[in-house]
Amino acid sequence: MLEESHWGLMKGASSSLRAAFSHCVQQVRSYDYHHYLCLLELPANMRKAAFALRAFNVETARAMDVASDPKIGLMRLLWWQEAIDKIYANKLIEHPTAQALSSVISESKISKAWLKRVVDARINDANRDVIDLPESIEELEKYAEDTASTLLYMTLQAGGIKSTAVDHAASHVGKASGLLLLLKSLPYHASRNRHFSYIPAKLAAKHGLLVKEGGRSEIRLDSREGLCDAVFEMASVANAHLVKARELANSVPVEARKALLPAVPAQVLLDSLSKVQFDVFDSRLARGVLGRPPLWFQLKLKWYSWRGIY
């Protein structure tokens, strides 16, 4: 656990608020470790908000996964939708992540529309039947924009950073990160419901993965090579977003660049996928941090942070 003196977040805060932020840090560390390491590099004026926002993202991203019944997961997401309204109405909520979020919102004036956008995207995804495939990769890019990119917008807003260039860069970093994490999650979702619900229908058809049964389209893994080709194509779109984000680097204010460090784990995951020929079932992807030794990953992140690049 981080020492409070190390991250300097809780001076003068009540014990319940300190406990709420400690909960947020632990949630991010446990369930989003590569982003936890990114947040440690942030300046103090962004770090506190970033941990609350990332913990909120953990709560909403995992809602469907931890629920024994999809209806319970959806109810959890609807609870968060209502919780956001209550937070902005200054109503107390007995939930540590919500308490931390409320504190951050009162200090940083985080946009309510952005928080709502994240939850709405999760709800729309939860309402989608597992055999209802997204039609195109643009649908998945929109989902990544509404979740991963929006988290970056809110982190930058908390740091008081206003820049068109940084917003454009954050959009590209978020889309790359979101797409790559969807790819990494394919085996998990396939093991839960035996469906590859995050491969677009157009891409699946192109690579011979789409089978029509009873008027519905379904992805079949008759060809591991076809799946690898589809993953490669999606990863190439993510790579293009990373390239665009880095092309904007000289226009991004120096104080904003650490907020874009999630580009580093996105690149690491992209490189790890490349090493296994884009086979998402290769066990090497599950090792360490995104397929790389933890110490190597931490040193790489520190190097990028120290150089002020992403």
Side-chain angles (χ1 to χ4, degrees), residues 167-214:
D167 286 346
H168 285 158
S171 175
H172 288 302
V173 170
K175 284 176 181 174
S177 179
L179 285 174
L180 288 163
L181 290 173
L182 284 178
L183 289 176
K184 186 175 181 290
S185 74
L186 286 175
Y188 169 77
H189 290 291
S191 70
R192 274 175 66 93
N193 52 45
R194 301 183 302 284
H195 290 284
F196 288 86
S197 49
Y198 291 111
I199 295 179
K202 285 181 182 177
L203 208 56
K206 178 181 175 181
H207 296 291
L209 299 171
L210 206 59
V211 176
K212 294 203 172 182
E213 276 189 9

Side-chain angles (χ1 to χ4, degrees), residues 86-150:
K86 289 179 180 176
I87 287 169
Y88 280 88
N90 294 316
K91 293 180 181 175
L92 181 65
I93 302 172
E94 293 296 332
H95 185 288
T97 303
Q99 286 177 333
L101 206 54
S102 180
S103 170
V104 164
I105 287 165
S106 66
E107 291 174 12
S108 306
K109 305 294 184 275
I110 303 291
S111 169
K112 180 181 179 180
W114 278 338
L115 283 166
K116 284 278 196 178
R117 181 193 286 181
V118 173
V119 181
D120 288 347
R122 301 291 188 200
I123 289 171
N124 290 337
D125 187 53
N127 277 324
R128 184 169 62 88
D129 194 303
V130 290
I131 57 175
D132 288 339
L133 302 174
E135 187 60 29
S136 66
I137 197 161
E138 285 80 13
E139 283 184 42
L140 295 179
E141 286 178 288
K142 172 76 164 56
Y143 181 60
E145 167 74 22
D146 289 347
T147 52
S149 298
T150 302

Side-chain angles (χ1 to χ4, degrees), residues 3-76:
E3 292 290 334
E4 287 170 7
S5 59
H6 172 68
W7 48 313
L9 302 187
M10 304 312 305
K11 290 175 184 174
S14 68
S15 58
S16 63
L17 196 54
R18 282 199 298 273
F21 275 101
S22 292
H23 171 81
C24 289
V25 173
Q26 290 288 29
Q27 287 289 96
V28 179
R29 187 176 188 172
S30 297
Y31 301 110
D32 194 3
Y33 186 66
H34 56 278
H35 284 132
Y36 162 82
L37 293 173
C38 291
L39 299 195
L40 295 184
E41 299 301 319
L42 288 175
N45 66 325
M46 273 196 240
R47 203 182 313 142
K48 177 180 175 182
F51 270 111
L53 291 165
R54 281 282 167 188
F56 160 74
N57 186 58
V58 166
E59 293 274 356
T60 55
R62 297 184 72 242
M64 297 300 290
D65 294 338
V66 299
S68 55
D69 182 322
K71 289 178 183 176
I72 295 172
L74 186 57
M75 283 172 62
R76 194 70 187 154

Side-chain angles (χ1 to χ4, degrees), residues 4 16 32-33 45 52 89 170-171 192 196 225 229 239 248 250 285 291 295 302 310:
E4 287 170 7
S16 63
D32 194 3
Y33 186 66
N45 66 325
S171 175
R192 274 175 66 93
F196 288 86
E225 184 182 346
D229 289 343
N239 182 59
L248 291 163
N250 289 336
L285 288 174
L295 182 58
K302 283 280 185 190
Y310 57 86

